[in-house]
């Protein structure tokens, strides 16, 4: 049983594969954190709490209650009781007071994993895959019931957490902070790894040593953001890719968040994650329930690589849904970098005709097909076909593309409204805005108030009319600006500060409706590149556009950082034209293919205009993608190079789960004169098995030799060259 309760000690043990998480109901009814780490045979480690160490024991010395509150490792610390470390929960009660005091009331343990109302979350495929404990905490004076929900996965070192809050009294109460997780670690000797960046350079890992005080990343942009991803690893100072203790945290949410670590006076670390409480105030009427989104916690005793592989397995099996969950995705060609806004149906058909001959399977019509949109300054919200561009109508275009043997996909940006649009003329009040203030334009557009159901119904009806008018098999859902002047014309004054969260819930509602009504459509999320690459979005779309930077060398960095917690099967990656539109760099067509092959794979170029040599290379490139896609999608991913530490080269591997084959990819970022070949140690193979490389079937080497001694990689001349090796297990 993954979850057990020791009645004598009033302690919980959540065993998740080879890790465990322990808690205890401490004196006074406070829920204390006991241990999180590698599993041990014991079911109770209460001694770790130091309850017998003066001045911890309130019963013995009541003068020390404040000290007790400020040092007990709390599972879910509240504001106002003398715990001066960062808190997870705070309220404003009917008297305007902010103090709250949660005490253990009861618990229940059950098989499986519950859904979170209106929110994305990981799931168990069967009741035997996971077990859940719900711990009910009560604040009697405020009449609040807070349920801490923990799920332990049986075969993965994963524990998930979320929280619900119910008002069981007859007075209103405001929630001013409801974080989803707090974890107490008994040392300060940790580093904090976060994924930071900007447009076109998302998710670059940054590693900083924890120090006294608070260190955090966050978003207040209304989306998870280009700038900070809702992921954090807290790892031992000496942890590296393959060794050392690592705790990974990822927020299954797509809006404002906080990820914070605090090193306290006694050199302990408290880590917290949740919805950003800045500008958050949620009115809870009697009987109402608030649900905080899920945090995924991964433990690894073998470095960052193992942490990443655990996240990848969890997300591939227990988060991503739909028809494409376990399927190879169609190889698409997207016209954005090929034409930008300057296209017609004829131009799209020329691209499709050429692409179909080369083995490309789907044409995606990007931004610019609707309203009267010729640039980014109009028509968002007007989801009807721009007849000047698509003269023959959408159905005729799609039918022609289908007759070439290709699927058809389309771009939408449902959450937005252009001031120059029919929709804005009819409903200027639908834009998020503060009455009496100017609206800030960003990319010439405003954000729709997605907290409104009437508005969502309208947008969805327009989308449906398009989707039902032709055989559309893919949607790219884009979101190209952040939120400003956040207030709603539809919410009462006392609920205005709920808009940030209600907006995200509205987006989730529409995505749920869309994926339920059109299960055969492949949904790809996107946000000005990769500003919403988060597990919340993965619940609705099995793939997310990684970045607007399609340069193969920049992508090495972006895909490296993204792989910290997101599987390669989810990374939208395309071969684009050179010089690259973002950085002006030229890279070999082969390298562009090898790098895009690590993700979903597709093309984003005008295939009628590229060189004959590149065009001729496409069929073989597609064959190579097809050969390795199952391995990339389902295998274990190993990072070998780290381009942030050594910008001369990068390498990685995919190893099949049964370790019978492995794909090794190498990129020589810069060529240097007079160098010997580079010796690289492989990873993830079966040490006892023998392998041969496909090109040299007569040479077999043990997995042990390949991993301990390595292989020599050389023979590459020029910058940005790449090479792949395919290792196959030899028959005994
Ligand atoms: C941002 C996306 O990341 C691009 O791929 C493209 O779809 C543009 N938006 C279109 O406006």
């Amino acid at each position: 049983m993954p979850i057990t309760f020791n009645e004598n000690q009033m302690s919980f043990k959540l065993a998740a594969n080879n890790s465990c998480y322990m808690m205890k109901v401490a004196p006074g009814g406070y829920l204390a954190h006991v241990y999180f780490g590698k599993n041990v045979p014991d079911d109770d480690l209460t001694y770790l709490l130091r309850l017998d160490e003066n001045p911890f024991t309130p019963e013995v010395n009541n003068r020390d209650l404040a000290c007790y509150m400020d040092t007990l490792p709390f599972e879910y610390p509240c504001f106002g009781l003398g715990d001066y470390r960062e808190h997870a929960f705070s309220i404003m009660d009917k008297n305007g007071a902010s103090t709250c005091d949660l005490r253990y009331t009861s618990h229940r343990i059950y098989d499986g994993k519950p859904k979170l109302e209106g929110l994305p979350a990981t799931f168990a495929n069967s009741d035997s895959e996971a077990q859940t404990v719900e711990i009910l905490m009560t604040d009697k004076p405020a009449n609040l019931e807070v349920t801490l929900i923990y799920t332990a996965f049986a075969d993965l070192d994963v524990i998930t957490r979320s929280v619900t809050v119910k008002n069981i009294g007859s007075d209103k109460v405001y929630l001013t902070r409801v974080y989803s997780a707090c974890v107490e670690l008994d040392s300060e000797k940790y580093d904090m790894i976060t994924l930071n960046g900007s447009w076109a350079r998302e998710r670059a890992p940054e590693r900083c040593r924890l120090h006294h005080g608070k260190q955090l990343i966050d978003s207040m942009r209304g989306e998870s953001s280009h700038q900070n991803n809702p992921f954090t690893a807290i790892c031992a100072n000496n942890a590296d890719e393959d060794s050392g203790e690592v705790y990974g945290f990822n927020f299954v949410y797509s809006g404002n968040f906080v990820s914070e670590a605090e090193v306290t006076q006694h050199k302990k670390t408290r880590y917290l994650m949740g919805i950003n409480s800045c500008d958050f105030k949620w009115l809870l009427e009697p009987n109402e329930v608030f649900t905080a989104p899920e945090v995924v916690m991964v433990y690894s005793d073998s470095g960052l690589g193992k942490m990443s592989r655990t996240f990848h397995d969890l997300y591939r099996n227990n988060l991503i849904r739909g028809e494409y969950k376990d399927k190879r995705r169609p190889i698409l060609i997207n016209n954005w970098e090929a034409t930008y806004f300057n296209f017609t149906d004829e131009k799209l058909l020329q691209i499709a005709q050429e692409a179909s001959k080369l083995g490309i399977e789907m044409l995606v019509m990007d931004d610019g097909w609707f309203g009267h949109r010729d640039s980014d300054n109009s028509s968002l919200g007007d989801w009807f076909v721009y007849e000047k561009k698509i003269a023959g109508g959408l159905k005729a275009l799609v039918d022609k593309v289908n007759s070439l043997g290709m699927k058809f996909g389309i771009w939408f940006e449902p959450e937005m409204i252009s001031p120059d649009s029919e929709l804005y003329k009819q409903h200027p009040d639908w834009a998020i805005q503060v009455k009496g203030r100017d609206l800030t334009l960003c990319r010439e557009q405003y954000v729709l108030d997605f907290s409104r159901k009437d508005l969502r119904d309208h947008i969805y009806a327009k989308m449906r009319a398009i989707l039902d008018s032709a055989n559309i098999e893919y949607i790219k859902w884009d979101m190209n600006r952040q939120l400003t002047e956040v207030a709603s014309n539809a919410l009462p004054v006392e609920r205005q500060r709920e808009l940030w969260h209600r907006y995200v819930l509205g987006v989730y509602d529409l995505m749920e409706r869309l994926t339920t009504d059109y299960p055969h459509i492949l949904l790809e999320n996107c946000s000005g590149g990769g500003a919403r690459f988060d597990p919340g979005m993965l619940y609705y779309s099995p793939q997310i556009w990684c970045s607007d930077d399609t340069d193969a060398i920049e992508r090495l960095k972006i895909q490296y950082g993204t792989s910290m917690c997101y599987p390669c099967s989810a990374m939208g990656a395309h071969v684009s034209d050179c010089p690259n539109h973002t950085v002006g760099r030229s890279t070999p067509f082969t390298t562009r293919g090898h790098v895009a092959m690590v993700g979903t794979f597709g093309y984003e170029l005008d295939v009628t205009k590229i060189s004959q040599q590149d065009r001729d290379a496409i069929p073989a490139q597609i064959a190579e993608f097809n050969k390795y896609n199952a391995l990339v999608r389902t295998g274990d991913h190993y990072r070998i190079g780290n381009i942030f530490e050594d910008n001369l080269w990068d390498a990685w591997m995919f190893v099949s789960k049964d370790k019978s084959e492995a794909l090794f990819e190498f990129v020589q970022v810069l060529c240097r004169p007079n160098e010997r070949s580079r010796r690289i140690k492989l990873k993830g193979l079966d040490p006892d098995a023998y392998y041969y490389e496909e090109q040299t079937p007569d040479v077999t080497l043990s997995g042990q030799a390949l991993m301990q001694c390595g292989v020599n990689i050389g023979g590459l001349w020029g910058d940005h060259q790449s090479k792949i090796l395919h290792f196959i297990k030899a028959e005994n």
Side-chain angles (χ1 to χ4, degrees):
M1 278 304 200
I3 302 185
T4 48
F5 179 63
N6 178 326
E7 233 172 295
N8 290 333
Q9 292 292 344
M10 295 290 284
S11 61
F12 298 90
K13 178 176 182 181
L14 285 63
N17 196 30
N18 297 315
S19 63
C20 76
Y21 191 92
M22 288 163 133
M23 302 172 267
K24 176 187 168 62
V25 181
Y30 302 107
L31 188 64
H33 179 78
V34 176
Y35 172 75
F36 183 21
K38 198 169 175 148
N39 203 357
V40 289
D42 317 65
D43 74 346
D44 176 71
L45 299 177
T46 294
Y47 73 93
L48 289 174
L49 274 183
R50 306 188 178 92
L51 291 172
D52 53 350
E53 288 178 22
N54 192 44
F56 267 75
T57 318
E59 282 95 337
V60 174
N61 183 350
N62 283 329
R63 284 172 307 162
D64 289 328
L65 180 59
C67 175
Y68 176 78
M69 297 308 288
D70 205 20
T71 49
L72 187 78
F74 276 98
E75 266 307 304
Y76 199 62
C78 303
F79 185 75
L81 291 177
D83 176 358
Y84 296 103
R85 296 160 291 178
E86 194 63 68
H87 58 284
F89 186 65
S90 63
I91 60 171
M92 196 173 94
D93 70 15
K94 61 175 179 191
N95 303 314
S98 53
T99 295
C100 59
D101 183 0
L102 293 171
R103 310 283 183 111
Y104 169 84
T105 307
S106 63
H107 72 268
R108 91 189 164 96
I109 296 172
Y110 54 89
D111 290 341
K113 186 172 189 298
K115 282 191 161 189
L116 295 184
E117 190 56 40
L119 284 165
T122 58
F123 50 82
N125 293 295
S126 70
D127 273 359
S128 59
E129 215 181 4
Q131 227 178 26
T132 298
V133 57
E134 294 190 2
I135 304 177
L136 181 66
M137 311 285 292
T138 312
D139 181 330
K140 288 213 173 99
N143 281 310
L144 281 180
E145 280 185 353
V146 172
T147 305
L148 307 180
I149 306 166
Y150 300 77
T151 297
F153 280 79
D155 300 324
L156 289 170
D157 295 332
V158 172
I159 289 175
T160 61
R161 293 180 62 170
S162 56
V163 176
T164 62
V165 187
K166 183 170 185 189
N167 182 351
I168 54 167
S170 49
D171 296 309
K172 292 176 177 187
V173 60
Y174 288 95
L175 307 176
T176 50
R177 176 179 291 184
V178 191
Y179 283 174
S180 300
C182 171
V183 173
E184 306 260 16
L185 300 169
D186 202 72
S187 162
E188 90 291 18
K189 297 207 176 309
Y190 291 109
D191 291 352
M192 182 169 178
I193 299 175
T194 52
L195 302 175
N196 316 306
S198 186
W199 173 78
R201 48 182 166 81
E202 295 90 341
R203 292 175 296 286
E206 189 166 78
R207 181 168 181 160
C208 299
R209 191 158 282 229
L210 291 186
H211 52 79
H212 274 108
K214 297 169 187 175
Q215 295 120 86
L216 66 84
I217 55 156
D218 74 347
S219 168
M220 274 304 296
R221 295 167 186 269
E223 58 178 0
S224 41
S225 87
H226 295 100
Q227 287 72 14
N228 293 316
N229 193 264
F231 161 82
T232 293
I234 302 290
C235 61
N237 295 149
N238 62 358
D240 59 20
E241 187 62 27
D242 303 304
S243 69
E245 281 204 301
V246 183
Y247 301 90
F249 302 93
N250 203 191
F251 200 26
V252 189
Y253 189 61
S254 311
N256 295 345
F257 74 92
V258 163
S259 166
E260 174 168 5
E262 178 179 11
V263 175
T264 65
Q265 56 182 330
H266 296 295
K267 295 186 185 294
K268 315 287 179 226
T269 300
R270 173 177 280 184
Y271 174 78
L272 305 109
M273 188 174 243
I275 291 182
N276 203 325
S277 57
C278 174
D279 207 27
F280 170 87
K281 193 172 164 205
W282 192 277
L283 169 61
L284 209 59
E285 297 272 11
N287 274 318
E288 281 185 350
V289 176
F290 177 85
T291 305
E294 175 167 285
V295 168
V296 173
M297 310 196 299
V298 167
Y299 172 75
S300 162
D301 62 351
S302 307
L304 293 163
K306 185 174 171 200
M307 172 203 70
S308 299
R309 287 185 289 281
T310 304
F311 273 117
H312 298 172
D313 283 343
L314 179 77
Y315 290 171
R316 290 185 299 200
N317 298 321
N318 304 91
L319 179 66
I320 289 171
R321 306 175 297 167
E323 277 183 19
Y324 282 97
K325 178 180 178 184
D326 300 315
K327 271 212 289 210
R328 168 188 156 305
R329 318 286 157 69
I331 300 163
L332 62 82
I333 184 158
N334 177 305
N335 75 305
W336 179 243
E337 286 196 23
T339 65
Y340 296 101
F341 293 103
N342 186 18
F343 65 88
T344 60
D345 47 359
E346 271 172 31
K347 177 70 208 170
L348 294 176
L349 277 171
Q350 280 166 16
I351 292 177
Q353 263 152 10
E354 194 59 43
S356 67
K357 287 188 223 151
L358 301 167
I360 297 173
E361 299 161 339
M362 178 160 72
L363 174 77
V364 175
M365 178 171 70
D366 210 280
D367 192 357
W369 59 266
F370 50 91
H372 60 277
R373 190 154 165 102
D374 287 315
S375 81
D376 62 8
N377 65 2
S378 85
S379 306
L380 293 166
D382 293 349
W383 300 113
F384 50 83
V385 171
Y386 187 12
E387 282 171 11
K388 190 180 105 188
K389 283 185 177 175
I390 316 293
L394 189 60
K395 181 162 174 13
L397 171 64
V398 177
D399 285 350
K400 283 181 194 151
V401 171
N402 286 168
S403 73
L404 296 167
M406 289 178 87
K407 297 177 190 293
F408 186 87
I410 198 166
W411 180 98
F412 282 104
E413 195 175 3
E415 299 154 72
M416 297 294 152
I417 181 166
S418 304
D420 176 8
S421 66
E422 297 295 318
L423 187 66
Y424 194 69
K425 274 185 213 133
Q426 288 155 16
H427 298 286
D429 57 320
W430 277 10
I432 288 183
Q433 58 194 272
V434 175
K435 273 190 196 119
R437 290 187 188 276
D438 291 342
L439 282 74
T440 300
L441 267 177
C442 174
R443 210 200 186 208
E444 309 265 1
Q445 63 200 55
Y446 303 138
V447 184
L448 283 168
D449 179 357
F450 253 52
S451 71
R452 297 178 67 145
K453 180 155 184 314
D454 58 342
L455 178 160
R456 296 198 303 270
D457 288 347
H458 173 93
I459 296 293
Y460 190 42
K462 299 287 173 200
M463 289 173 77
R464 289 200 72 148
I466 293 291
L467 296 176
D468 294 341
S469 72
N471 182 25
I472 292 169
E473 298 180 76
Y474 163 105
I475 292 175
K476 179 174 173 185
W477 179 313
D478 205 348
M479 193 270 195
N480 280 301
R481 66 156 286 181
Q482 296 130 17
L483 277 57
T484 54
E485 294 96 21
V486 176
S488 167
N489 288 318
L491 289 172
V493 172
E494 70 266 28
R495 289 203 180 272
Q496 285 293 332
R497 301 331 315 135
E498 298 175 12
L499 181 55
W500 292 103
H501 182 51
R502 287 188 181 276
Y503 175 84
V504 179
L505 294 179
V507 172
Y508 289 153
D509 167 66
L510 204 55
M511 285 191 189
E512 186 66 38
R513 283 153 79 178
L514 181 66
T515 49
T516 307
D517 293 342
Y518 297 91
H520 70 286
I521 288 185
L522 171 60
L523 180 63
E524 175 155 359
N525 258 290
C526 170
S527 178
R532 245 181 1 192
F533 207 120
D534 61 58
M537 287 293 136
L538 277 184
Y539 184 70
Y540 303 98
S541 57
Q543 58 194 59
I544 302 175
W545 184 230
C546 236
S547 176
D548 276 347
D549 197 336
T550 52
D551 170 65
I553 300 303
E554 287 302 304
R555 274 297 181 116
L556 294 177
K557 298 181 202 161
I558 295 165
Q559 294 175 190
Y560 176 98
T562 306
S563 78
M564 276 296 149
C565 58
Y566 305 108
C568 295
S569 60
M571 296 184 200
H574 298 165
V575 174
S576 62
D577 202 3
C578 278
N580 178 267
H581 294 193
T582 313
V583 291
R585 184 180 288 127
S586 289
T587 50
F589 202 69
T590 314
T591 305
R592 283 178 260 159
H594 284 160
V595 174
M597 219 165 78
V598 176
T600 56
F601 195 72
Y603 292 86
E604 184 146 345
L605 38 72
D606 187 344
V607 72
T608 67
K609 286 194 183 149
I610 59 173
S611 71
Q612 191 60 42
Q613 198 187 1
D614 287 355
R615 206 169 17 247
D616 289 347
I618 289 179
Q621 198 166 57
I622 286 178
E624 195 167 53
F625 160 76
N626 282 331
K627 179 172 173 188
Y628 297 119
N629 179 251
L631 189 49
V632 170
R633 241 181 334 101
T634 64
D636 287 329
H637 177 233
Y638 290 85
R639 291 179 292 262
I640 296 180
N642 178 348
I643 185 146
F644 292 94
E645 283 175 6
D646 183 341
N647 63 6
L648 294 179
W649 65 284
D650 198 4
W652 58 87
M653 282 179 76
F654 294 94
V655 182
S656 63
K657 288 280 177 193
D658 65 1
K659 299 194 183 292
S660 64
E661 62 165 335
L663 171 68
F664 169 85
E665 296 197 38
F666 177 87
V667 177
Q668 173 167 283
V669 177
L670 290 177
C671 187
R672 302 222 309 166
N674 191 22
E675 285 222 295
R676 311 303 300 263
S677 60
R678 192 174 291 280
R679 181 156 309 160
I680 292 181
K681 294 179 179 179
L682 304 191
K683 293 185 183 180
L685 301 173
D686 176 354
D688 300 325
Y690 280 78
Y691 295 86
Y692 63 92
E693 204 286 312
E694 201 183 337
Q695 303 299 317
T696 50
D698 298 337
V699 185
T700 56
L701 283 164
S702 67
Q704 213 162 345
L706 290 165
M707 293 192 290
Q708 269 178 35
C709 315
V711 293
N712 294 336
I713 303 294
L716 292 172
W717 189 73
D719 294 342
H720 319 319
Q721 303 293 322
S722 64
K723 179 172 195 148
I724 63 175
L725 298 173
H726 186 204
F727 292 92
I728 299 163
K729 194 169 161 180
E731 302 285 324
N732 281 333

